[in-house]
Amino acid sequence: MEDSNVFIDALDRLRRIGEQTGIPTEVIDALARPKATLSASLPVRMDDGSRGYFEAYRCRYNDALGPTKGGIRFHPEVTIDEVRALALWMTLKCGVVGLPYGGGKGGVIVDAKDLSRLEIERLSRAYVRAMADFIGPDVDIPAPDMYTNERIMGWMADEYQTIKRVHAPDVITGKPIVLGGSLGRSEATGRGAFIVIQELAARKGLTPRETTVAVQGFGNAGYHVARLLHQEGYHIVAISDSKGGIYSDAGFDVESVYQRKQESSELHGVYCEGSVCNMVEHDRITNEELLELDVDILIPAALESVITSENVDRVKAPYIAEVANGPISGDVDTKLFDRGTVVLPDVLTNAGGVTVSYFEWVQNRQGFAWDLEEVRNRLASALIDAFDAVWQIATDEGLSLRSAAYARALRRIGEQVEAQGTRAYFGNAAEE
Ligand code: GLU
């Protein structure tokens, strides 16, 4: 799917599920367009002395339920429409978990791998200089996303505080611990996905030792979910990164693969040299092949729109856990549901990241840091509650888990729209 269609696809899905679940059109209309999107061209001094320019966006999609919240991604394929789609999904994600936030998202068109560390720092600070009046602890709170990390969040928070001459660590989440970050934030997206998968497994009677898993994408979220599933006894038989994947019937020791990737910065071929290589027989596979493997659980944890009408018929896994945002295009939702494929939707499955971001924001505002156990317990109870509620809606109303998750979020947002008065209210008043 072309990038420019991602937002249209997201809106089509929103309208379709809205109709299916009886959401008033006034609620869907309120979500059919972002509140505001700022574009900027970021001037950055490059190491060779020249000045580079990078296109950047920040979208505050909807703030009905609180300040907007969402990550910033650095990626060469970022588009304004992709940022809008991601910001809409953040709105729904916060609604599913019941966080007091709306949704936002940011992005910069850049291949971060081409930049030096100094250039990345200058780019990160330039982003905040451009967006400083658009973001803020009570307005819009960024966080990490693809190819941004703790260190970058630390630079961004520092730049904001320098510009505003205040101490405001709550302007950004996902910071290094020493700069006000929360324990447990870096693993939170993967741990949240693990919790949700475990809930599904309990309901479907899946036994970890008899369950095979393929993970597409070995970034922060993909690594942590694979690590936790492996620890629990699941067989992680395939893993890939942007360069390609590896497959082994025997299953991988996730931690060793991760260590090797850190050393060589490549996954493709992780197993062809050194001690780990000798331990496990493996094949190299492509990212496309990984999606079509005959495994029990498929975890797309990389980019959006990787499962589309083009390949859906070849996707065999009966369970798909969307750890990436938007990995399945909207036009195949019905087909997957009709054939019995259970999809754990992104707005629930990867909501652990923003949930612990919320905890980080709360800790910053309280000036009191929680211990790791408290963070993990609160994360587990937030996601188990959300899962239970979504499962209940799906069962009662005969819906897919995605439709049920959307219904939960949209009904919550709908209450806010109704509290402000709808046509039904004002129409009646005129007649009285
Ligand atoms: N970028 C993450 C997401 O897509 C985290 C957002 C946040 O923590 O605000 O959910």
Side-chain angles (χ1 to χ4, degrees), residues 28 148 160 179 251 262 350 382 412 424 429:
I28 303 300
T148 53
Y160 182 85
L179 300 180
Q262 292 305 98
N350 70 27
R412 205 184 280 276

Side-chain angles (χ1 to χ4, degrees), residues 69-71 90 93 105 141 143-145 173 185 325 350 353-354 357:
K69 182 86 192 81
M90 283 308 304
K93 199 183 296 189
K105 201 77 174 198
I141 305 126
D145 198 79
T173 59
R185 174 62 185 87
N325 290 306
N350 70 27
V354 70
S357 273

